[in-house]
Amino acid sequence: MKITFVTSNIDKVKEINQLVNDDIKITQKNIDYPEIQANIEKVARKGVNWCYEKLTEPLFIEDSGLFIKSLNNFPGPFSSYVFDKIGNKGILDLLANEENRSAYFLSIIAYKDKNHLKLFKGKTEGEIGKERRGKHGFGYDPVFIPKSSNKTFGEMDREEKNNYSHRKKAFKKFSKFLSSKNI
Ligand code: IMP
């Protein structure tokens, strides 16, 4: 089975490729689809429809975000913009005097073919550390510590991150769907 993953993020492709078995062949295509300002489910739904109109082949996209509870779930759908503007240092500064450091990552995989439009969700609870740690991964990985670990995602290699990852949880549901439908 061949599926296109529309993304510009090579780290996401590597994480997902680690999860697929031999009968799924994922091809990356980098199309700059519009990301509306809304919750990430809506962003993913719009994005996958837009990509499908362009490519008309079975494809998926993945949208994710970091939600920090003491900041009213900020940056959430603005995670990408906020990361580009203030980075992990900016996040640590915002939380400088904050005791409650709870946060979660959400991943939405949106799949579309001619018969289906499906969303699959994965959530990982954790907290924001007090400093940046680790050189692995991307984005907010060096400041996010998943529950039941004391390492940041940045201190984990890809395999270890996938034991906790929001993306892995979403992908597991997606691959179950793919095998049940025999697409
Ligand atoms: P997007 O889904 O590519 O728009 O990502 C939103 C933002 O969250 C980007 O800044 C990503 O770098 C960040 N992000 C998404 N997933 C992860 C992750 O697994 N670890 C760290 N940062 C992430």
Side-chain angles (χ1 to χ4, degrees):
M1 178 195 320
K2 281 191 190 160
I3 312 179
T4 300
F5 183 10
V6 179
T7 181
S8 58
N9 186 330
I10 190 68
D11 288 293
K12 288 186 179 180
V13 180
K14 286 179 185 161
E15 281 184 18
I16 280 183
N17 263 326
Q18 194 145 31
L19 305 172
V20 295
N21 52 30
D22 289 346
D23 38 303
I24 301 179
K25 169 108 187 62
I26 291 179
T27 316
Q28 181 195 9
K29 284 193 182 161
N30 183 358
I31 304 174
D32 203 10
Y33 60 87
E35 291 200 14
I36 55 161
Q37 295 304 315
N39 69 49
I40 64 171
E41 283 91 344
K42 274 196 186 153
V43 177
R45 194 180 286 276
K46 280 262 180 201
V48 82
N49 277 323
W50 193 93
C51 293
Y52 190 78
E53 270 186 29
K54 287 252 163 237
L55 298 178
T56 54
E57 65 193 24
L59 62 87
F60 68 99
I61 62 170
E62 193 266 356
D63 268 298
S64 32
L66 175 68
F67 298 76
I68 300 174
K69 294 186 187 163
S70 65
L71 301 179
N72 250 330
N73 287 335
F74 179 82
F78 310 108
S79 292
S80 184
Y81 178 80
V82 169
F83 185 77
D84 291 345
K85 290 288 172 200
I86 66 172
N88 285 321
K89 172 156 188 330
I91 293 292
L92 293 175
D93 289 347
L94 284 173
L95 294 180
N97 300 312
E98 187 55 64
E99 282 301 309
N100 175 7
R101 308 188 70 86
S102 303
Y104 62 92
F105 266 120
L106 205 58
S107 163
I108 305 290
I109 289 178
Y111 169 79
K112 189 162 166 77
D113 63 23
K114 73 176 178 348
N115 301 315
H116 308 90
L117 193 176
K118 293 288 257 177
L119 300 191
F120 306 90
K121 193 179 200 168
K123 183 176 182 181
T124 296
E125 299 271 2
E127 61 180 47
I128 304 298
K130 296 244 156 110
E131 78 247 311
R132 285 173 276 186
R133 293 199 324 246
K135 298 251 175 292
H136 294 287
F138 64 98
Y140 300 105
D141 280 344
V143 296
F144 185 79
I145 304 167
K147 224 177 207 157
S148 70
S149 168
N150 40 34
K151 286 186 190 172
T152 66
F153 271 166
E155 293 175 296
M156 299 179 185
D157 62 20
R158 214 168 276 132
E159 204 179 330
E160 191 176 3
K161 179 179 172 185
N162 271 336
N163 290 330
Y164 301 92
S165 154
H166 47 301
R167 191 163 298 104
K168 152 101 180 253
K169 290 172 189 160
F171 192 79
K172 245 177 121 177
K173 294 177 188 167
F174 176 37
S175 53
K176 212 167 157 192
F177 163 79
L178 289 176
S179 25
S180 73
K181 293 287 171 203
N182 222 347
I183 290 165

